[in-house]
Amino acid sequence: MTALTAARELRSFLRRHGSRTPGAAAAALEGLRPVLPADCVALSSWDPAARRHRTLASSYPAAVTDMLDGRMHADPLFVSVRSARVPVRVRDLAPRRRRGEIFDRIITPLGFRDGVTQCLFAADGRYVGMLNASTLDGRQPDDDTVALLDLLGPEFAAALDPVPAPRYPTGQLVAGEVDGFVVDVHGGITPLSPAPRPDLVTPPSPLAEVVERVRAGSPPPVAVLHLVRQDAVVAVELSATPSGVVLLHREVPPPGGLTARELHVLDGIARGLSNTEIAAAHGIGSRTVATHVEHILAKTGCRNRVEAARLASQWGLLVDP
């Protein structure tokens, strides 16, 4: 089998099975052997919440795998390679750059004469993982091998990515505008950013029910939901995917210039509660609720409670109990 044929078969495997589990990753590396002659190879995913790699399959010694997972992301040489966004071989590095922990703990002690690191990026620009290979043969990997790795890079990245972009609006994650996570079909959480908020979908949060409906096939009620949690408002976007529901979130100012307390009252109006019922729910007086209602109507320009309730629906207003 030629390297090109092996690369095509590997691409088909990655598209069918992915490589996010240790078993699939090990099978992918086995399929990579005819493409990339190497003595040691590892495939690692990036955990944006923990800010570290998680090696899914590796033929390196355990100590090397630990270094790949826990410290390689902070090595200045790796940071430079990641910025390049192309496969980088040892021989491609200027002699003055061949120093640091990667050389001191991996390349030199194990006698590797060459190797390659390929950082993997999703279609929307998010870093999702890396492929590392080391060789005792200084002639490998050759230029043809590097070219094939470059062509396979998007396939490996898509196979590692829990959210296959650009089908979903995850570009905001790259810019740091939002945080997010995936709720899978079993209720498990996969972080997509350093600061996801899975507590947003923990019952009795009303957002948990919305996620369940979206996961069951119903469309989100509006493009952006507004969840009021104590004095904060969190804007939430939901997208259904084959593997679950993608939830992107960010804190925002209260819509309409309302206060958090006024949003609580507006939620009661939207649910058809009387001022007395709203007052009892929040432990305040009916006269105070009436004042809040007056402010809500004045700030939003609504003429009555019906219009205010309609506005709450348009905002996708949800209030934590």
Side-chain angles (χ1 to χ4, degrees):
M1 179 186 300
T2 67
L4 181 57
T5 300
R8 287 171 175 164
E9 292 189 359
L10 177 57
R11 180 178 62 183
S12 297
F13 173 87
L14 292 171
R15 289 179 176 179
R16 291 195 310 269
H17 303 290
S19 59
R20 296 193 67 243
T21 66
L29 291 187
E30 185 64 29
L32 187 63
R33 285 182 179 275
V35 180
L36 174 60
D39 295 284
C40 291
V41 64
L43 181 62
S44 310
S45 65
W46 174 248
D47 184 334
R51 304 296 294 171
R52 56 170 289 163
H53 291 98
R54 298 191 184 278
T55 295
L56 300 169
S58 172
S59 57
Y60 285 97
V64 172
T65 302
D66 290 343
M67 185 266 177
L68 294 177
D69 284 353
R71 298 190 301 282
M72 186 164 175
H73 66 279
D75 189 286
L77 180 56
F78 172 78
V79 173
S80 174
V81 170
R82 177 173 163 172
S83 299
R85 290 181 172 251
V86 296
V88 177
R89 294 173 294 190
V90 173
R91 78 180 80 165
D92 297 326
L93 300 170
R96 60 181 175 78
R97 298 178 62 197
R98 299 178 191 177
R99 58 171 61 96
E101 190 173 15
I102 293 173
F103 279 86
D104 294 343
R105 298 180 65 91
I106 302 176
I107 296 175
T108 301
L110 297 178
F112 293 129
R113 299 183 61 194
D114 208 341
V116 62
T117 292
Q118 182 176 20
C119 292
L120 304 170
F121 296 87
D124 60 4
R126 284 174 296 115
Y127 174 66
V128 295
M130 64 179 178
L131 175 68
N132 286 285
S134 299
T135 65
L136 298 172
D137 183 350
R139 297 169 297 178
Q140 293 291 344
D142 60 20
D143 292 344
D144 290 341
T145 297
V146 173
L148 286 175
L149 285 178
D150 202 20
L151 290 174
L152 285 170
E155 306 294 342
F156 269 108
L160 287 176
D161 188 4
V163 184
R167 291 170 55 196
Y168 310 113
T170 52
Q172 301 171 80
L173 292 166
V174 180
E177 299 168 354
V178 299
D179 282 290
F181 54 93
V182 179
V183 184
D184 67 27
V185 294
H186 304 295
I189 301 296
T190 299
L192 299 176
S193 66
R197 293 276 306 276
D199 59 290
L200 297 177
V201 297
T202 301
S205 169
L207 187 57
E209 298 179 6
V210 178
V211 170
E212 282 297 322
R213 291 196 295 269
V214 172
R215 192 164 58 184
S218 299
V222 294
V224 180
L225 300 164
H226 289 84
L227 176 67
V228 183
R229 173 161 289 191
Q230 296 179 341
D231 293 329
V233 179
V234 183
V236 178
E237 299 176 53
L238 302 177
S239 301
T241 79
S243 58
V245 178
V246 177
L247 190 150
L248 306 179
H249 58 84
R250 67 188 186 280
E251 285 200 12
V252 296
L258 303 182
T259 65
R261 173 61 74 186
E262 288 166 351
L263 288 174
H264 280 80
V265 172
L266 177 58
D267 176 66
I269 293 172
R271 291 188 287 119
L273 302 181
S274 67
N275 284 3
T276 301
E277 291 171 325
I278 295 172
H282 295 286
I284 56 179
S286 296
R287 186 169 299 177
T288 301
V289 172
T291 300
H292 284 318
V293 172
E294 291 178 6
H295 291 166
I296 290 168
L297 298 180
K299 290 180 179 180
T300 61
C302 294
R303 292 173 295 181
N304 50 49
R305 295 169 78 100
V306 173
E307 289 189 1
R310 186 181 302 119
L311 182 61
S313 179
Q314 293 172 352
W315 284 345
L317 184 63
L318 300 170
V319 174
D320 263 4

